[in-house]
Amino acid sequence: PRRALGFTGLVVIYEIRGGNEIAKPVDRLFADQLGLSDPGLHETALANLRARFDASALAEPLRGEAVAVLEGPNAAALLLIPELLRGDQAVSAFIAKNGALIVAPTPNDGDWGALKSIEAAKKSPYGPPLKITKFGSGPLPENGSRGSRHL
C-alpha cells in the first residue's frame, strides 16, 4: 500500500520495525495478515508516529533561533501530522534529496526571498520550500504575505 503526500511529490510507504530497528516494508499481503485495510494501516502508522515524535526537535526553529534537521519518523510525522504544531506555530521546510527534512524558522518580516533563493540555486539538494502549520503544508506565500490562515 502507498499513499501520495499531497503536492510534495512524495509517496508514503509503510514499514514495520522490529526491536533491532530493521525496517520491513508492509505490502498488501502483510497488511492483510495484520487485519489492516489501507485506511486502517494509515491510521495505525499515524498513531505510531504521534507516539514517537520528539517535539524538542522543533524547539529552536519555532523560537526563530536555528535550523533543525529531522530524519526518519520525525520528518514523516511533521509532514503527515501537521497538527503536531499548535496554535499559530509555523515553520518553513525543505525536503532534502536524502529524505531528511530541513526545518527553518518562518521570517518575521514576511520576506520569503531568502528561503526561495535556496531552491533556485543550481544543483540544489532540496525540493521546493514549504510552509507548515497545524492546518497542513503548502508552497511558501508571496513576499510580504503571511499566507492564508490555513497555511
Side-chain angles (χ1 to χ4, degrees), residues 1-82:
R2 298 171 166 239
R3 177 183 291 236
L5 185 55
F7 72 95
T8 64
L10 297 175
V11 177
V12 177
I13 299 172
Y14 303 95
E15 63 186 24
I16 192 164
R17 292 177 182 260
N20 55 5
E21 289 297 309
I22 295 175
K24 176 186 185 313
V26 176
D27 59 17
R28 179 75 266 146
L29 178 63
F30 190 53
D32 288 342
Q33 290 171 347
L34 295 172
L36 294 171
S37 63
D38 286 357
L41 178 62
H42 188 70
E43 287 306 313
T44 299
L46 293 181
N48 288 334
L49 286 173
R50 281 184 190 99
R52 293 182 69 178
F53 183 70
D54 178 9
S56 69
L58 292 178
E60 289 179 326
L62 287 172
R63 287 193 309 261
E65 297 174 352
V67 171
V69 177
L70 303 183
E71 297 180 300
N74 275 340
L78 186 58
L79 290 171
L80 288 165
I81 316 167

